[in-house]
Every structure is written in C-alpha cells, then in structure tokens.
Amino acid sequence: MRYFIESCFLLMLVWLVGCKPNSAVAPQIDYSGVRDTSDYFLDICVDSLDVNYYTIRQGESLSVIFSQLEISSLGDSIIRAAGDLLEPKKLREGASYYTITTRDDDPQIQYLIFGKSLTDHVVIDLSYPPVGAYLYRKEVTLHRRYLDGSVSSSLWNAIRDRGADPILAIHLSDVYAWQIDFFAIQPQDSFRVIYTEAFIDDTIPLNIATIDGAVFVHEGREFVAVPFTQDSVREFFDADGQSLHKEFLKAPLDFFRITSRFTNARFHPILKRYRAHHGVDYAAPSGTPVKSIGSGKVIARGYEGGGGGNYLKIKHNSVYTTSYMHLRGFAKGIVVGSTVRQGEVIGYVGSTGLSTGPHLDFRVYKNGQPVNPLTIESPPSHPVRPELRDSFNTVKRELLDEMLILSQQNNNLIQN
C-alpha cells in the first residue's frame, strides 16, 4: 500500500512539472513521458531538454531497460558508477525512472534517473564521459498543524472530513494504544491534536512526521498526551506525568470491528449451539497484519483443523499469555521459542479452522485462566522523574495553552 501511495505521488510530481508525450525514446514502454516546460528538474537545467517518464513493468531488469533505451553499451559503466546507490535486485514493478534527452530529431540521453523513494533519486550523468552518478534528495519541509473535531462514525472519517490526512488517525491510535480501544470509539468522542507534517518541495505531502501533543475525549474522559524527553527518549505522558506506554496494547490490529465479545454463552454460527467464547473476534480483511500486544516468547504455533486453525500463543511474563487464532499464516521468523516485541507483526488475519469468514479470535489468559481482553488493566511504565517534573509541567502548560488559542482561532474562523 505504501508503495502504491508513493507511485501516486510521483505521478502527481510529473504532472506538476508539465509534460507532453514524446515517443522518440523507448517507444515500447507502456507509459512514456513527457516534455518538461519548467527550467529545472531535480536541479538539472532542462530549458532545452525533454524529461521522459517511465515505470518498470513486470519482469524488467536493468539490462532490459538499457536495451529498450538503446544504451546497452553503457550498462557496465552505469552500474559501476552507481555502485551501492543502484541495487538491481531491488528494482520493483511500478517503480519510476526518467530520461532527460536532447530536443532534436535524434534525441540523446543526457541523464538517466531512478526513483528510490518520494525524496531520493539516483541520477546517472551520461552527458559527458566518464559516466557519473549521485544521489539527489528532494528538500523536505516541515509544517506545524492543528486539528480538532468530533467523531460521528470513525476517527479516520472525522480526520478526513476535516480535510487532513487520515493517516493521522493511525498515529493517534499509536499514541493512545494503551489507553483507548479504538474499536469502541463513540459518536460523542472528540479530539484536538498538534502535529508536524512533512512536504516535498513545500507542496507535496510526504507523511505525518510527529505528533506534538493531543487531547482525546473518550466516553466523557479526557486523555492528554504530552510529548516529553527524558533519558534521551521522547515519549508521551498524561497530565499527571504518567507514561502512556503500558505493558499491553489495547488491541492486536488496527481499525476493524468487533464481531463477538468475551462471553460464557455465545451462539456458535457453525455448531448451532451455545458455548463459551473466552476471547474477542475482530473482523478484518484476510491478510491484515496481526500484532503482539506485548513483548514475550512464542510458546506454541500450530494448526487446529476443527477449532482455531493456524494459531500462536505468546507468554508475556509469569502472569499473562495471549492467543491468536484463525490466522492465514505466520510472519517470517515467528516460530516456537521466538522472542517478539510489543507491536511486532506475528501473523495475518485469515479464516482457517472452524470459521465463517476472515477474522482474528484473540484471547488473554491471566495465571492460566481466560480473562476479558477488553477490560484488562496494564500497569504504567516509568513516570516523569521528580527532578524533571517542573520542566514537564512547563511543557504541558505551553502545549495546552497553544491548543486553547488554536481552538479559539478555529472557532472564530467557523463563525465568520
């Protein structure tokens, strides 16, 4: 998904530099490029040159690309010049590359450029011998943002409806992963958040760089998140200086609905009878990553044909063990004896075993007895140290004052 988003942004970038078709170079490439009408492209003066855009198709290698561009004779020189900058085995279908050519009846390639990411490009200089290569990194600028709103259906939709990047919802769920069950967001819940957004060339959104503070109102309770650094580690604390990081995550996967809760008498859809269901079912598309809610060791991995299908059990400490069932498969390297970290992907949602559709059956055991995953309490980690309390209170006060001012400004804009 991330690579798909990167490709979309690169398409937007090409559109912004204003190009038109030019089939003189590599006409066999499906989507070939365009004439640049700006003076510079990746800091290369192109006022008398053409910029042509291509995407790597399935099965295409560097040698195939060189052949299509009729520069096979320069292939070895290009690979030597690029060195570690250009790794042939990491070329991916759908990745972008460009040629910058002379504008005449017999166009000659002056530059060959491979996009490694939204910001990084490998530039091969063919304009004069010998062949040269360097990494060009687009400028990234940071903008501090403020957003507030109420939840009507989901946090994702609430943020999107306010005109912001809905990925912000994922970042907020990470901040509050130990306090708020985002499967149980209520329509009356609300949020205020200050965050930093990164842009390419000051115009193209890149990502959410940091969360700089937040207040989330859930079920009538206000949850404050104040970023503060102690022992060279930046983490979030509540209004009392207690760390928001707890021993367990609230849920083992992101933003999907609960279809069955912890109960002693659930009507089983396949067996057609009531029986205990000592877990929580999370409906999610097949293949959705499943995370360990805490650090621990894998103590069981296997398959139950008439029950849990592919399953994992993780022992977190002397008290708690968790179980993940109906998995489509396991994450690479996850075997009995593996040590896993909190939030590490351990498997993928599936519908194996006794199941009517893709979902995760998640269970928690305390001292060997099943407990409700939705109600377990986790102890906090280290709070702000006493000698840093005054500094923390200053940061908290400045954050809340800034939020109040920005909220008032937003309200004034709406009223006007």
Side-chain angles (χ1 to χ4, degrees):
M1 175 61 72
R2 180 180 177 185
Y3 187 74
F4 173 76
I5 294 173
E6 290 180 356
S7 298
C8 291
F9 277 125
L10 284 169
L11 285 170
M12 183 186 299
L13 174 64
V14 174
W15 178 79
L16 284 171
V17 297
C19 303
K20 71 179 184 180
N22 178 359
S23 59
V25 176
Q28 62 271 47
I29 303 294
D30 281 346
Y31 181 78
S32 72
V34 280
R35 172 167 291 180
D36 189 288
T37 58
S38 61
D39 290 335
Y40 287 88
F41 179 74
L42 304 183
D43 280 352
I44 299 171
C45 182
V46 292
D47 58 351
S48 60
L49 301 172
D50 283 342
V51 178
N52 304 278
Y53 170 79
Y54 310 93
T55 55
I56 297 175
R57 296 186 300 181
Q58 183 177 10
E60 286 187 335
S61 61
L62 277 180
S63 61
V64 171
I65 291 172
F66 293 158
S67 176
Q68 292 172 339
L69 296 176
E70 299 180 357
I71 55 171
S72 295
S73 60
L74 297 174
D76 290 341
S77 298
I78 292 173
I79 292 174
R80 283 196 302 270
D84 293 338
L85 294 177
L86 188 59
E87 302 176 76
K89 292 183 179 180
K90 291 189 177 181
L91 290 178
R92 296 174 294 178
E93 178 184 355
S96 303
Y97 67 99
Y98 310 81
T99 60
I100 298 179
T101 63
T102 57
R103 188 176 298 167
D104 49 40
D105 293 336
D106 183 24
Q108 300 297 309
I109 298 177
Q110 303 297 291
Y111 297 91
L112 173 62
I113 302 168
F114 289 89
K116 298 187 70 172
S117 68
L118 286 175
T119 57
D120 293 351
H121 296 75
V122 178
V123 180
I124 312 296
D125 187 349
L126 304 176
S127 56
Y128 296 100
V131 174
Y134 60 91
L135 181 68
Y136 179 85
R137 180 161 291 161
K138 282 182 163 293
E139 181 182 4
V140 175
T141 55
L142 301 175
H143 295 274
R144 192 170 170 88
R145 305 291 199 195
Y146 171 77
L147 189 71
D148 58 24
S150 298
V151 178
S152 58
S153 59
S154 71
L155 180 59
W156 180 281
N157 290 337
I159 291 174
R160 183 193 60 191
D161 292 345
R162 297 286 288 173
D165 185 349
I167 295 296
L168 179 60
I170 302 293
H171 289 267
L172 279 175
S173 73
D174 288 340
V175 170
Y176 289 111
W178 296 269
Q179 286 70 43
I180 300 173
D181 181 0
F182 279 84
F183 294 91
I185 292 295
Q186 303 297 317
Q188 64 268 31
D189 291 349
S190 63
F191 63 91
R192 288 176 284 155
V193 58
I194 295 175
Y195 63 101
T196 298
E197 190 170 11
F199 289 81
I200 299 174
D201 293 338
D202 213 34
T203 56
I204 301 174
L206 177 60
N207 57 35
I208 305 297
T210 59
I211 299 294
D212 301 319
V215 176
F216 203 102
V217 178
H218 175 58
E219 296 181 341
R221 180 182 172 190
E222 188 173 84
F223 295 84
V224 176
V226 180
F228 187 71
T229 301
Q230 66 176 3
D231 299 325
S232 301
V233 177
R234 182 183 188 267
E235 60 177 306
F236 290 91
F237 297 86
D238 65 17
D240 297 323
Q242 298 294 324
S243 175
L244 297 194
H245 184 284
K246 301 294 178 70
E247 187 175 355
F248 294 141
L249 298 175
K250 274 289 187 180
L253 68 173
D254 296 324
F255 290 111
F256 295 99
R257 60 189 177 91
I258 294 173
T259 55
S260 181
R261 296 174 182 266
F262 186 96
T263 177
N264 287 318
R266 183 191 71 157
F267 186 77
H268 196 283
I270 295 178
L271 300 178
K272 305 300 182 184
R273 59 184 173 88
Y274 287 93
R275 71 174 188 173
H277 182 257
H278 290 157
V280 175
D281 286 348
Y282 292 95
S286 181
T288 299
V290 175
K291 306 173 186 177
S292 173
I293 67 164
S295 298
K297 179 175 287 187
V298 177
I299 60 172
R301 165 184 155 158
Y303 180 83
E304 293 179 346
N310 289 321
Y311 71 93
L312 278 173
K313 288 186 179 180
I314 298 175
K315 186 176 181 62
H316 301 284
N317 50 36
S318 61
V319 176
Y320 286 101
T321 301
T322 54
S323 176
Y324 310 78
M325 295 187 286
H326 303 300
L327 301 173
R328 187 178 77 178
F330 308 102
K332 184 178 180 181
I334 299 298
V335 296
V336 173
S338 297
T339 298
V340 298
R341 302 181 307 276
Q342 184 182 69
E344 181 177 349
V345 174
I346 55 175
Y348 305 92
V349 169
S351 187
T352 56
L354 207 59
S355 170
T356 59
H359 72 286
L360 172 70
D361 185 342
F362 172 61
R363 305 191 179 198
V364 177
Y365 299 88
K366 182 178 181 180
N367 295 319
Q369 297 300 313
V371 295
N372 190 342
L374 301 179
T375 60
I376 58 172
E377 291 291 335
S378 297
S381 58
H382 300 296
V384 173
R385 296 203 307 270
E387 64 269 26
L388 297 176
R389 181 69 61 163
D390 288 343
S391 296
F392 170 76
N393 286 334
T394 298
V395 172
K396 179 183 70 175
R397 184 173 60 252
E398 291 176 349
L399 170 66
L400 296 179
D401 287 347
E402 182 182 6
M403 279 193 172
L404 179 60
I405 293 171
L406 293 171
S407 177
Q408 292 172 343
Q409 291 175 349
N410 266 13
N411 289 336
N412 291 337
L413 288 173
I414 293 172
Q415 291 173 1
N416 294 331

